[in-house]
Structure formats: C-alpha cells, structure tokens
Amino acid sequence: MERGFLAAEELLAALRNGDVSSVELTEEAIGRIERDDAVLNAMCVRDFERAREAARCADRARARGEDRALLGIPVTVKESYDVAGLPTTWGMPRFREYVPVEDAVQVARLKAAGAVVLGKTNVPFMLRDLQSCNEIYGATNNPWDRGRTAGGSSGGSAAALAAGFGALSIGSDLAGSLRTPAHFCGVYAHKPSHGLAPSRGMVPPPGPALPAERDLVVVGPMARTARDLGLLLDVMAGPDPLTHGVAYRLALPPARHERLSDFRVLVLDEHPLIPTGSAVRAALDRVADALAAEGARVERHSPLLPDLTEAATLYTQLLVSGAAASLDADQYEQMRTAAAGLAADDQGSDATWLRGAVFSHRDWFAANNRRELHRHGWRQLFGEFDAVLCPITPTPAFPHDHDTDLRDRTIDIDGVGYPFGDQLVWAGLATMPGLPATAIPAGRSSAGLPVGVQLIGPMFEDRTPLRLAELLEQRMGGFRAPVAV
C-alpha cells in the first residue's frame, strides 16, 4: 500500500525507527492534495506553510528524544473547528472573512500531541446536511464515485482520509455527521459518549468559544483503522480544563472483552419507521456472520431494547428544539402558528418536527425525562449485551442533490422514495441517549460503493465498541483505498 494510505500507528513506528521524517510525510500529503483535490474538493482551507514548519519542528523534537502521541503525523481538521489564523465559516457566506485568534481545545490537543495540521475540510451550510456543500467552498465529491456525496457534515474529513490526505481527522456528530461520511467513504469514525471529549471552539462563528457542551453534539475521531480511532480518542478525550477538568480526571474503563468469541451482540436490521436497503442489510449480515463464526453470541431480538419509535420521536424533538433556537423571531413565530394549527391526531414526522421546533422549556424537560428512562433501558440492555450492531443510514452514498430543499428531498431505498429526514433515525439511536458508536467499513455494494455499519456500546465504555471494531477489522478486513480518485 502506498505510504500515504498507511495507518497513523504504522507511520509513527516508521518515524520512531528513523525510516521516514515528518517533513517527508507532510510533503507527500501536500503533493497528494495538490494532485487529487481538484476533483474531490475535500480540503477547503489549506495551511501548508505552517504545516511544513510544524513538520520541521516535529523532526527536531524527535531528534532530541521526544516522542508524543502524534508527533509528526499529518492530520486534517473539520472546517467547523476554530484554528487560529484560518477562517471558520460553517459554510455561511456572511462569515467568509471571520478568522478566530485561538485554537479550539481539540485543535490545541492535536498540536500538543505533535500532529501536523494540513488544513481544514469541507462542510455543509451550518453543518445541516448529509452532504458537504456550501456557497463558499462548493461541494465535496465521494472518492469512490464523484457523482455521489461524501456525506455530511464531516464529509470533507471522510473524503480526505479515503484519498490519503493525512492519516487522521477530527469531526463532529449530531445527526450522524461522523458516522455517515465514514459509511459513505469506507473509513472509520467514532462518536464518543456525550461529554467525553470537550467541544470548546467547535462553535458557529463569530463565537464566542465558551466551555459549554451542547445537547446531543459530540466531537470525535476519524481514521483509516479502528486502532487509529483509539489512538486519536486518547488525545481528544478528557474534561475541558476550564470546567470539569478543574476537579475530574479521565479514567475510561477497558474494553469488556479481548476476543470476538466473548462478545454478546444484538443485531438490528429493521426499524419501524424506515426500511433497510439491501446493500446495508447484506453488510449487517456479513458482520453478524463473522461474529457468529468466531463464537460470539449473536441475537436478533431482545425485550430489553428501548422502543425504537419513541426513541426516534424523542431524538427528533430534542434535535429540532435545539436547531430552532437559532431562528430569528419572525421565523419562530411562523412555526409557532403552524404548530398551533396541527390536528391533535397528526403524529406524522413533519408534525413531530414542527412541534419539537417550538417546544417550551416545560416540553423540553418532559422530553428529557423520557430520555432518562431510555438511558436506563439501555443500561439494562447492556447488562445482557456488549454492543448493538445496526445501520448508520439505510443506503450507501446517494447522488448529489444540492438544489432540492431538505424538506422536499427523498431517499431512494431499493427503488422506493422515502422522506429524506427519516433516515436519521439510525444516527439518533445512539445520539439521543448519548451512547458511543463506532462506524466501521463492512464491504461494498453491488455498485462498488463502500457500506458501513455502526457498533453502539455502553455509555462511557467507549473502548468496548472500539475493541470490537478492531477485532472485526482483523477478521474481515477494513479500509481499502479507492481504485482511482
């Protein structure tokens, strides 16, 4: 395999052995970006001169005997993170000139670990799409099929990893924004337990970058191997030093098991609100068969599983109530009027979105209390199982669709159209209760597109789904570079 596609762990070993320098790795990554990104458009902001200087500093540090977690490794950063001296726009044209003066806490941690930041990766407008496209930087293409999306909102990061633009990247996840791009591009991602990795500085411009964790939102690692996810999570995890870090220290428990044969896995391939496409169902079966072949306990049903329909409703309510907080007063009043006009028996998805958008504080507390009941249900389930295997979205990457309003879009599932937003139920399964979820490649569709699945684990036991992902990678194989970008 070409060196640019090697795992960060392998590159670190080569750096430690003196087989390569950080300057060489950085120049190779820059060369690949300059050669291939014209057709992908993954790297929306380049920072090559500072990257070259960081690489020279990394080599000098290693020559002095230093050895930090990511010393000399080229990485990329999602555009939504503040990087001092680079624009942070979240794809909003009115902020195209906004340049923060301080690094986000996760960018600072990357640099402290010795990583070489190559630049920033593309996102959708306000991070609100499963495609990465905006008026400032344009659309990011899928490395496997340029006519298809790389996913969103961390689509630029996933495409960059698949194309060999750096060994690691950091993204964020509210509605599958780490997991969906990984699934679409054939790489790995981990949505941490809510609150595990601080997000200060991953905030819409113009900020301020306060140490406050938003409901549902997490920041997390993306990589080309499962072990690299763990490597990067170790850099990212731990409380913000401005808040919980004053009193708390991180102590993640080890993985529950070290062998596939010891894992107990619940497989979900059906959801009451949307069907699972044949390509994703086949991928789930491949993983389930690999688990069973190694002696793992694999079940398809459990009475302990929290109600999937109620979980999806709660997720939608909490998601849209947070999103609506940024609406201006006139837009909010229009939605209040529309919600008041809904029939009492209208329980459709559109009605759920509209009612959630205008939740009162009392309404939100009621939904949050129901969420706590679901969390308790998950604790009981994870007394019987170690992980849940399920889809990320119902289909592989879909064709670009940047001209249709989100509310009017459909998702094609084996030839039948369904409301575009309904596919978020699988992302919300882990997001609503704050559970960790690891996205892993699980083969290819009949059209040759990557297909991923997710492994949901117990809250704050992130090492359990990560270890399961690593063992499955050893058993089934993992990342494969696109034949041609």
Side-chain angles (χ1 to χ4, degrees):
M1 181 182 291
E2 186 180 343
R3 187 160 61 190
F5 290 100
L6 294 178
E9 189 177 50
E10 295 173 291
L11 296 177
L12 281 167
L15 286 164
R16 288 170 182 143
N17 292 336
D19 297 332
V20 70
S21 69
S22 179
V23 167
E24 289 176 301
L25 293 180
T26 300
E27 290 295 346
E28 288 172 4
I30 290 172
R32 196 172 293 106
I33 293 167
E34 291 178 333
R35 183 190 71 201
D36 295 336
D37 199 42
V39 296
L40 285 187
N41 194 36
M43 298 291 298
C44 60
V45 179
R46 300 179 181 186
D47 198 21
F48 293 165
E49 290 312 306
R50 290 199 298 184
R52 288 182 169 110
E53 177 56 28
R56 289 191 289 268
C57 289
D59 287 336
R60 289 194 292 267
R62 196 169 289 282
R64 294 192 300 268
E66 294 185 29
D67 188 13
R68 285 171 269 157
L70 300 176
L71 187 58
I73 298 296
V75 304
T76 61
V77 172
K78 187 176 181 177
E79 199 272 354
S80 51
Y81 285 89
D82 285 349
V83 178
L86 299 182
T88 297
T89 70
W90 285 47
M92 294 184 279
R94 64 193 176 107
F95 292 113
R96 69 169 66 237
E97 303 300 328
Y98 175 71
V99 178
V101 297
E102 184 179 10
D103 288 337
V105 64
Q106 294 299 344
V107 174
R109 288 181 176 183
L110 281 177
K111 292 180 178 179
V116 175
V117 178
L118 297 166
K120 304 180 80 174
T121 58
N122 202 23
V123 297
F125 177 78
M126 292 187 71
L127 313 191
R128 293 180 178 177
D129 201 345
L130 297 187
Q131 305 176 91
S132 292
C133 179
N134 59 76
E135 291 182 23
I136 303 173
Y137 300 120
T140 298
N141 298 320
N142 191 303
W144 291 85
D145 182 340
R146 298 175 205 169
R148 295 176 184 268
T149 179
S153 61
S154 307
S157 287
L161 283 169
F165 302 169
L168 301 166
S169 194
I170 58 174
S172 61
D173 195 307
L174 170 65
S177 288
L178 283 160
R179 293 163 284 165
T180 299
H183 158 43
F184 285 177
C185 293
V187 298
Y188 289 81
H190 181 70
K191 185 200 89 65
S193 298
H194 188 265
L196 181 63
S199 61
R200 175 164 49 92
M202 213 289 296
V203 60
L210 300 174
E213 300 303 320
R214 292 182 294 155
D215 190 29
L216 303 176
V217 178
V218 300
V219 296
M222 305 183 80
R224 287 190 292 266
T225 72
R227 285 179 63 85
D228 277 358
L229 287 180
L231 175 71
L232 185 48
L233 182 66
D234 285 344
V235 171
M236 300 182 73
D240 191 316
L242 298 185
T243 54
H244 296 298
V246 174
Y248 303 152
R249 295 293 178 267
L250 180 66
L252 275 179
R256 289 187 176 186
H257 309 293
E258 288 299 318
R259 300 182 304 175
L260 276 178
S261 59
D262 294 330
F263 277 88
R264 304 162 299 169
V265 180
L266 176 64
V267 180
L268 303 180
D269 59 7
E270 296 180 350
H271 197 286
L273 299 182
I274 194 167
T276 302
S278 56
V280 172
R281 190 180 294 275
L284 292 166
D285 287 342
R286 282 193 292 272
V287 177
D289 290 346
L291 288 164
E294 290 294 322
R297 176 187 159 199
V298 178
E299 302 287 347
R300 296 276 180 166
H301 304 280
S302 172
L304 297 173
L305 181 69
D307 183 82
L308 296 183
T309 299
E310 185 183 27
T313 299
L314 282 172
Y315 171 64
T316 298
Q317 292 169 335
L318 294 166
L319 174 69
V320 298
S321 65
S326 62
L327 296 175
D328 62 42
D330 289 342
Q331 289 176 304
Y332 188 74
E333 283 305 315
Q334 290 172 11
M335 296 185 78
R336 279 170 55 91
T337 301
L342 290 171
D345 61 351
D346 186 350
Q347 300 300 315
S349 58
D350 288 344
T352 299
W353 277 76
L354 192 54
R355 291 192 182 101
V358 296
F359 259 12
S360 67
H361 196 46
R362 176 186 175 89
D363 293 333
W364 189 91
F365 260 93
N368 189 53
N369 286 338
R370 293 197 302 276
R371 169 165 53 183
E372 291 300 335
L373 290 173
H374 273 255
R375 282 178 173 152
H376 186 62
W378 281 105
R379 291 186 194 103
Q380 293 177 307
L381 182 137
F382 285 122
E384 183 72 19
F385 296 95
D386 303 306
V388 172
L389 168 66
C390 63
I392 298 169
T393 70
T395 69
F398 52 84
H400 292 293
D401 184 0
H402 306 302
D403 299 323
T404 309
D405 188 282
L406 270 168
R407 293 167 296 184
D408 298 326
R409 280 191 213 156
T410 59
I411 180 70
D412 184 300
I413 304 177
D414 292 340
V416 179
Y418 295 86
F420 186 82
D422 287 2
Q423 64 186 306
L424 299 183
V425 296
W426 286 115
L429 192 62
T431 298
M432 185 272 288
L435 302 173
T438 305
I440 66 170
R444 300 288 177 270
S445 71
S446 59
L449 297 171
V451 183
V453 297
Q454 63 180 329
L455 303 165
I456 300 175
M459 193 164 187
F460 294 120
E461 294 190 50
D462 293 56
R463 297 199 194 283
T464 291
L466 285 169
R467 177 58 177 162
L468 180 54
E470 180 185 342
L471 293 169
L472 284 166
E473 182 180 13
Q474 294 169 6
R475 175 67 168 74
M476 300 178 60
F479 170 76
R480 190 180 79 193
V483 174
V485 173

